[in-house]
C-alpha cells in the first residue's frame, strides 16, 4: 500500500514538473516572439524616421516644402554680392585692356566699358549657374538654382534663365523680382521662363529625394 502511494506521488510530481517545463517553454517562446516583434517594429520605426523621402501625404509634403525655397532677401543679398563681384572683374578687365593695352573699341550708345560689363555679367551668370548651380553670392548665402523637377540643370534652362529671363527682368526695371514674395515656390519671372527654382542648400537633397519618390509613385 505504501509503495503504491509512493509511486502515485512520484507520477503526480513528474506530471507537475512536465507542465511547469511546458509552461516555461511557452512563456519563453512568447517572450522571444514579442522581442522579435518589438525589434522589427523598432527597426521599421527607425527606417521610417531615416527615410525622409516618404511624406505621409501630399499635404505634409506641401507644408514641408515651404522651407525649401530661398526667399526674397536671401536672393537679394546674393544678387548684390554678385554685382560687386561682376563690377570688380569688369574693372580689372577694363583697366588691363583699355588702359594698359590701350585697346580702343568704338561702341555706339553704350560705350566699350558698358559692353565689357554686360559681356562679363552674362558670362558670369551662365558659367557659374551651369557648372555649379550657384554664383559666388549664392554660395555665400547657401542657396542654389535647381530644375523645378529633379535632375541637373541643362544648358537651355540656364540660357533661358540667365539671358532671356534676366534681359526681360532688366527691361521691366527689376519689378518681376517682386514675384518672389507672392508665390509658394518663391519664383521670379526668370524662374518661370526656365522652369527653375532657387532652393536652400540644406534642403536640396531632401527636396530631390521627395520629388523622385513622388514621380515614382505617379508612375505606379
Amino acid at each position: 500500500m505504501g509503495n503504491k502511494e509512493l509511486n502515485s506521488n512520484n507520477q503526480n510530481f513528474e506530471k507537475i514538473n512536465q507542465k511547469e517545463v511546458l509552461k516555461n517553454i511557452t512563456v519563453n517562446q512568447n517572450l522571444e516572439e514579442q522581442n522579435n516583434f518589438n525589434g522589427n517594429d523598432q527597426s521599421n520605426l527607425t527606417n521610417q524616421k531615416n527615410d525622409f523621402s516618404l511624406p505621409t501625404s501630399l499635404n505634409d509634403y506641401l507644408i514641408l516644402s515651404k522651407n525649401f525655397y530661398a526667399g526674397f532677401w536671401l536672393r537679394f543679398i546674393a544678387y548684390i554680392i554678385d554685382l560687386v563681384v561682376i563690377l570688380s572683374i569688369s574693372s580689372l578687365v577694363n583697366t588691363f585692356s583699355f588702359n594698359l593695352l590701350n585697346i580702343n573699341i568704338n561702341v555706339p550708345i553704350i560705350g566699350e566699358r558698358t559692353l565689357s560689363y554686360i559681356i562679363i555679367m552674362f558670362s558670369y551668370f551662365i558659367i557659374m549657374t551651369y557648372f555649379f548651380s550657384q554664383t559666388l553670392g549664392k554660395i555665400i548665402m547657401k542657396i542654389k538654382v535647381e530644375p523645378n523637377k529633379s535632375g541637373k540643370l541643362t544648358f537651355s534652362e540656364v540660357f533661358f534663365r540667365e539671358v532671356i529671363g534676366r534681359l526681360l527682368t532688366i527691361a521691366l526695371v527689376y519689378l518681376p523680382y517682386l514675384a518672389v514674395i507672392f508665390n509658394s515656390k518663391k519664383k521670379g519671372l526668370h524662374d518661370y521662363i526656365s522652369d527653375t527654382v532657387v532652393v536652400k542648400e540644406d534642403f536640396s537633397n531632401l527636396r530631390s529625394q521627395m520629388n523622385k519618390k513622388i514621380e515614382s509613385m505617379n508612375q505606379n
Side-chain angles (χ1 to χ4, degrees), residues 10 23 26 56 80 85 89 92 98 104:
N10 287 336
K23 184 179 178 182
T26 303
T56 54
I80 295 299
V85 172
I89 296 172
L92 288 173
F98 299 129
N104 293 316

Side-chain angles (χ1 to χ4, degrees), residues 105-167:
I105 302 173
N106 293 321
V107 181
I109 302 174
I110 61 173
E112 70 241 11
R113 294 180 184 276
T114 303
L115 177 63
S116 171
Y117 173 82
I118 292 171
I119 293 171
I120 289 168
M121 180 185 73
F122 283 110
S123 299
Y124 170 82
F125 280 116
I126 291 170
I127 292 169
M128 292 295 294
T129 304
Y130 180 69
F131 287 104
F132 306 104
S133 298
Q134 294 173 293
T135 57
L136 290 176
K138 288 184 176 69
I139 291 171
I140 292 170
M141 300 308 297
K142 295 185 177 180
I143 58 179
K144 63 192 300 188
V145 182
E146 292 183 349
N148 193 35
K149 297 180 180 179
S150 57
K152 189 182 182 304
L153 285 169
T154 63
F155 185 79
S156 62
E157 288 171 335
V158 173
F159 180 81
F160 276 100
R161 185 180 196 278
E162 303 301 343
V163 178
I164 307 300
R166 203 168 288 280
L167 281 172

Side-chain angles (χ1 to χ4, degrees), residues 10 13 16 37 42 56 70 76 78 88 94 96 101 107 134 142 168 185-186 189 193 202 207:
N10 287 336
F13 182 73
I16 291 170
F37 176 78
Q42 187 66 33
T56 54
F76 178 75
S88 300
N94 289 339
F96 181 76
L101 298 181
V107 181
Q134 294 173 293
K142 295 185 177 180
L168 287 172
K185 290 190 175 182
K186 300 171 184 176
L189 175 63
I193 289 172
D202 294 338
R207 176 182 174 273

Side-chain angles (χ1 to χ4, degrees), residues 148-151 208-220:
N148 193 35
K149 297 180 180 179
S150 57
S208 177
Q209 290 174 4
M210 292 175 74
N211 282 348
K212 287 178 181 177
K213 177 58 67 176
I214 288 172
E215 286 177 9
S216 65
M217 289 168 66
N218 290 336
Q219 290 175 356
N220 295 333

